[in-house]
Amino acid sequence: MQKIKLFAAAVLCASLIPLSSAYAQGMSKGELKTHKARISEEYKADKEACHAHAGNAKDICEQEAKGKEKVARAEMAHQHSGKAADRNHVMVTQAKAAYLVAKERCDDLAGNAKDVCVKEAKAVEKKALADIGMGQHMGQAKNKAASEKLEADYKVALEKCNALAGDTKTSCVAAAKVTFGKN
């Protein structure tokens, strides 16, 4: 139970940590190639270190190595593109990798305790993915709200122009269009 709580805390923290601004700077093709090679070498070293373990401890170690590699590759893709979608992919990859490790840890248990452990790990993953999705929807909702506010302000400006006549009204409408990006 304690391991699941630690897993939940780790996933939650990972999903809430803003990614470094260096990610938005992009990478050259040479840096990308070097980064890929480094990730592959780290994965091989991590996997080789797992040979020191036996049984489920070895399986857990290998799952951790795979997760670390997947997260590193997702982070690299985000560094290269700087896109918000890639940032979200990093968080999803972190949540899924943490789930797979937690699920592997459940193999140390048996019977109902194992079933509960697996269900708890899956629930934590689903909650983390839901939080990530909610963050995406919140961003979309904020953009929509800002757009609606801008449209409302534009309509107010046009209504104010309606009180005018002739060239004054025409220039007022033109200014409103420029101000609110309606050209």
Side-chain angles (χ1 to χ4, degrees):
M1 185 64 145
Q2 185 65 18
K3 289 180 184 179
I4 296 299
K5 288 180 182 176
L6 289 173
F7 167 72
V11 169
L12 181 62
C13 288
S15 68
L16 296 177
I17 295 173
L19 298 173
S20 139
S21 61
Y23 287 139
Q25 294 176 358
M27 298 174 92
S28 70
K29 287 186 180 187
E31 290 172 323
L32 190 63
K33 186 176 180 180
T34 302
H35 203 87
K36 282 181 181 179
R38 184 184 57 78
I39 291 170
S40 293
E41 289 301 315
E42 284 181 10
Y43 173 66
K44 288 176 187 174
D46 290 344
K47 195 166 180 180
E48 187 67 33
C50 294
H51 292 302
H53 301 287
N56 196 45
K58 182 178 180 180
D59 294 343
I60 292 168
C61 180
E62 288 175 350
Q63 196 62 256
E64 288 173 339
K66 286 178 192 176
K68 182 179 171 185
E69 180 196 27
K70 287 179 181 179
V71 169
R73 288 191 182 279
E75 288 174 340
M76 178 188 61
H78 181 244
Q79 277 181 315
H80 182 64
S81 73
K83 294 179 181 175
D86 287 335
R87 183 189 71 234
N88 289 331
H89 180 68
V90 169
M91 293 186 291
V92 167
T93 303
Q94 289 171 331
K96 289 182 182 238
Y99 162 70
L100 291 172
V101 170
K103 184 178 164 194
E104 194 63 49
R105 289 183 192 280
C106 294
D107 285 348
D108 284 334
L109 304 172
N112 188 45
K114 180 178 179 177
D115 295 342
V116 169
C117 180
V118 170
K119 294 283 184 192
E120 286 177 336
K122 188 64 177 174
V124 170
E125 179 200 27
K126 285 188 178 215
K127 289 176 187 176
L129 293 174
D131 286 344
I132 293 166
M134 186 173 63
Q136 290 171 326
H137 295 303
M138 292 287 284
Q140 292 168 349
K142 285 180 182 179
N143 288 341
K144 183 179 178 187
S147 177
E148 289 173 356
K149 288 177 182 180
L150 195 62
E151 185 65 26
D153 288 343
Y154 174 65
K155 288 180 179 179
V156 168
L158 287 180
E159 192 60 37
K160 288 179 180 178
C161 293
N162 284 339
L164 305 173
D167 289 340
T168 309
K169 180 177 181 177
T170 304
S171 63
C172 179
V173 170
K177 285 182 178 181
V178 169
T179 301
F180 295 99
K182 300 292 183 176
N183 288 337

